[in-house]
Structure formats: C-alpha cells, structure tokens
Amino acid sequence: MRINRRDFLKWSVAAVAALKLEMDMDKLNTVLAADTDPPVIWLLGSGCSGCSISTLNVTNPTTIEDVLQNKISMKYDSTLMAASGESAMQALENAANQYNGQFILVIEGAIPGGASKNYCIIGEQDGVPLTMYDAVLKYGPKAKYVVAAGTCASFGGVAAAAPNSTGCVSVKSLLSGQTANPIVNLAGCPVNATVMVQTLLDLILTGVPSLDNNSRPSKYFNTNIHSVCPRRGKTQVPQPGIYGCYKAVGCRGPYNQSPCPSLMWNNKQGWCIQSDHPCIGCTSPTFPLNPIINA
C-alpha cells in the first residue's frame, strides 16, 4: 500500500490521539495547511545536480527541513524522493494532473535536444521513454509558474557551451510563449540557496516578482559586483590568490550582476572574491566564457 506524506501526517494525528500522546498541533496544522499552496514539481535535466545541493544547504530564510515540512509541498523531485521507477513517474503524472494550472515547475539543468532528444530521459510512461525535452513541453504549459534553477536552465550555461554537441537549450527558449506567467530565471552556478527558496515562497505568497531584462528577480540581480567590490580601487594583481584587484586577470565583476556580495555562500562564510578568486560571471547569460579567466 502506498501512502503519501499528507496521509501519513493525518494517520499520525489519529495514532497520537489513540495512544494519548502529546504532539505540537500548531506545527502539524501548518504542515497540513500547506496543501492549499501551489505544490512544486522539480525536474532535473542536463546538469550536475549542484543547484539541488545548494538548495539543500539553505539556512536563510530558513532550513531545508522547515521548507519541506512547513513551507512548500514537494510532489516530485527525483533527487529527493524515495520512490523510483514506475511509482515515481506515476507520482509526477498524478501531481501534474491533480494540480493542473496550480503547481510550480522548477527545472534544473539545460534541456538536450540533440540525438532526437534522447540524451536525457527521465523515465518511462506507459512503456515509452519520456525525454527531458518532452517533459518540459508537456508540463511547462500546465504549470502556474515556471522557474529555471541555475544558469544551465536559465541560459544554457555549461551544458550548452560550445560545441554543444548535445544540443542543449534553455527553459525560456523551449517554452517561449507557452507559459501562464513569465519564466523566472534564477541564474547562478549553482543557484544561490536563499534566492531559490525565497523566490519559491514569493511565488506562493505574492506571485511573480519584478524581473530584469534577463528574467531574473530584480531584487537579487540589480547590483553590479564591481560597484560593491571591497577590492575596488586596490592595486591590480597578476594572478588569483594574491590580495588585490583581479581586473587584469579577467575578473567578470565589472560586467556581472549577482547577489553574491550580499548573500554570499555557505551560511555567509564567504564568496569568490573574498576567497581570493576573480568573479567568473556565473549569473551572466554569456557564462561560461573561454577562458573563464585570463590567469
């Protein structure tokens, strides 16, 4: 017998009552109330899973435990879910049909279109392989919101870098004109965990945020890194690892907008410049350039 998380929680309430045990009812009610919010379906395409790992390490605005238990209803994520094979694919189909027009579709990684779209197959439906390419085309128009997690999904990124032999494309280029709301690009290699989680909460609570010309939330991508760099005006140095300005070795800070200087990484432990490395411009539509830096 299969049982989903909501049913398990309801069963838990009944079990606690029957056994006359104590339970934090406020917390449990919050969890159950999440059923009314737009659920999330997370598809993983051509990528390294780095955006998933980044999201799992979130600490601000809250932890991933709180996110998954109390903030969002994750209906399908092949990286996180225990189900696999046919049951996982059935869960995906059921969620998309039950919440048609209501769910948030998160797409991580670029979408390969080469080799008849067969470079990335996410499972089978009715015995027929379902490619990532066809899954995005199938579920994207059914979603209330579509989020491209990371630069590969947003702009093609590393997966679509020349010579792009797998024919990878971005989410926006594949779903252009087919979504109910503008696609939200959360650029970054990987996506910043705070940007990822807070944007999902914003979509649930208030809808699509203000976006810049690259469809990125303006509140996170309105700052040119060079304008706030703590090394601005310092002596230019010839290689990474030496304290100073990295403009001479190809730092992309003057041309890149990113939340890195304010949100930083690893629970605000640091960011590239602070760790003695030039900005590589990973939130830019042109990422990755070759070479990434000139050192």
Side-chain angles (χ1 to χ4, degrees):
M1 179 183 72
R2 291 185 300 175
I3 183 169
N4 61 35
R5 184 169 65 92
R6 305 294 171 190
D7 290 338
F8 173 75
L9 290 168
K10 293 173 183 176
W11 174 85
S12 298
V13 172
V16 166
L19 296 173
K20 298 181 180 180
L21 301 176
E22 294 183 356
M23 175 175 273
D24 186 339
M25 292 304 296
D26 287 340
K27 184 175 181 180
L28 186 58
N29 286 337
T30 302
V31 174
L32 296 174
D35 259 345
T36 61
D37 295 330
V40 174
I41 293 175
W42 187 303
L43 297 179
L44 175 59
S46 184
C48 64
S49 302
C51 294
S52 287
I53 294 172
S54 176
T55 303
L56 291 174
N57 287 323
V58 68
T59 57
N60 175 33
T62 184
T63 64
I64 192 63
E65 178 186 23
D66 185 40
V67 169
L68 294 176
Q69 289 185 346
N70 303 319
K71 307 301 184 189
I72 68 172
S73 178
M74 185 71 77
K75 296 298 184 184
Y76 177 89
D77 184 330
S78 58
T79 304
L80 299 181
M81 63 196 306
S84 62
E86 183 179 354
S87 60
M89 295 304 294
Q90 192 60 55
L92 168 61
E93 184 70 5
N94 290 346
N97 290 333
Q98 181 178 353
Y99 299 98
N100 191 352
Q102 304 173 53
F103 64 89
I104 300 172
L105 179 64
V106 177
I107 300 170
E108 176 183 359
I111 304 125
S116 301
K117 306 173 286 187
N118 286 316
Y119 280 119
C120 185
I121 295 174
I122 66 171
E124 292 186 351
Q125 289 183 338
D126 298 325
V128 178
L130 179 64
T131 68
M132 180 66 179
Y133 196 100
D134 288 337
V136 172
L137 287 176
K138 179 178 183 179
Y139 297 119
K142 292 184 176 182
K144 185 175 184 179
Y145 304 113
V146 175
V147 176
T151 295
C152 290
S154 297
F155 308 124
V158 173
N164 191 13
S165 56
T166 57
C168 278
V169 298
S170 68
V171 173
K172 191 173 183 178
S173 64
L174 185 57
L175 286 178
S176 178
Q178 300 186 56
T179 55
N181 287 290
I183 294 168
V184 180
N185 286 336
L186 301 182
C189 188
V191 62
N192 186 287
T194 297
V195 173
M196 183 72 240
V197 171
Q198 187 61 59
T199 299
L200 290 179
L201 298 180
D202 288 346
L203 289 173
I204 292 172
L205 296 173
T206 61
V208 177
S210 175
L211 304 176
D212 69 5
N213 291 335
N214 292 311
S215 299
R216 304 173 301 186
S218 301
K219 66 178 180 179
Y220 297 121
F221 297 92
N222 64 354
T223 302
N224 187 301
I225 286 183
H226 185 66
S227 67
V228 296
C229 182
R231 303 186 184 194
R232 185 179 183 183
K234 302 295 184 184
T235 301
Q236 294 187 19
V237 294
Q239 67 180 61
I242 302 174
Y243 185 84
C245 174
Y246 292 131
K247 186 176 181 180
V249 293
C251 179
R252 312 298 181 197
Y255 323 104
N256 194 45
Q257 298 80 41
S258 166
C260 289
S262 57
L263 297 179
M264 297 191 280
W265 294 87
N266 301 322
N267 197 15
K268 285 206 165 188
Q269 293 302 303
W271 57 298
C272 291
I273 298 292
Q274 188 176 338
S275 301
D276 286 333
H277 197 279
C279 169
I280 60 174
C282 74
T283 61
S284 168
T286 62
F287 179 80
L289 295 175
N290 185 19
I292 289 181
I293 61 174
N294 298 325

